[in-house]
Amino acid sequence: MKALFSRQFRNDLRREEANYRDSSDRLASAFRERVAGQTREVIRWQGGDHVGPHGFPCRRTRPFPFYIYYFIKGDVIYFLGLVHERRHPDFLKGQLKKP
């Protein structure tokens, strides 16, 4: 299975990692590793997560309060965005687009 990361996803990851880095380099590193681990799990299991109210499958980055949103089409997983769990689902309608 091929994985493609959207510009939105990469920008979200950089922004949130920088926010955690303001508090601690270790925290920022742990956040990045957690996101990387969860994306590897999505790829390994070829999705399998629930679809949220926003219409996209997602994976939580526990203990961090973010969801990884993705879309599977054929043999490609498109990672769409990394969004804080308290964001209103309507936010995603204008931000994330299915390929």
Side-chain angles (χ1 to χ4, degrees):
M1 182 147 275
K2 184 176 178 181
L4 295 176
F5 295 85
S6 71
R7 181 177 297 136
Q8 177 73 41
F9 183 90
R10 291 188 311 259
N11 289 342
D12 292 344
L13 180 58
R14 279 192 291 267
R15 183 186 62 246
E16 298 307 333
E17 186 178 10
N19 286 341
Y20 281 115
R21 193 168 308 290
D22 288 344
S23 297
S24 161
D25 286 341
R26 185 184 301 171
L27 191 58
S29 178
F31 174 72
R32 187 170 194 66
E33 282 301 313
R34 185 61 179 167
V35 171
Q38 292 295 55
T39 57
R40 283 191 298 268
E41 286 293 308
V42 169
I43 294 165
R44 178 178 174 207
W45 296 106
Q46 299 178 11
D49 294 302
H50 76 283
V51 175
H54 44 275
F56 295 99
C58 60
R59 172 73 57 110
R60 182 124 189 258
T61 61
R62 201 171 284 139
F64 299 97
F66 290 90
Y67 286 102
I68 296 169
Y69 292 96
Y70 61 91
F71 176 74
I72 299 174
K73 186 174 184 180
D75 65 343
V76 179
I77 297 177
Y78 298 91
F79 288 93
L80 305 173
L82 183 65
V83 180
H84 195 280
E85 67 183 13
R86 291 195 181 187
R87 277 292 231 186
H88 193 280
D90 287 346
F91 165 78
L92 299 173
K93 291 178 184 174
Q95 296 294 317
L96 304 180
K97 305 283 187 229
K98 290 183 180 178

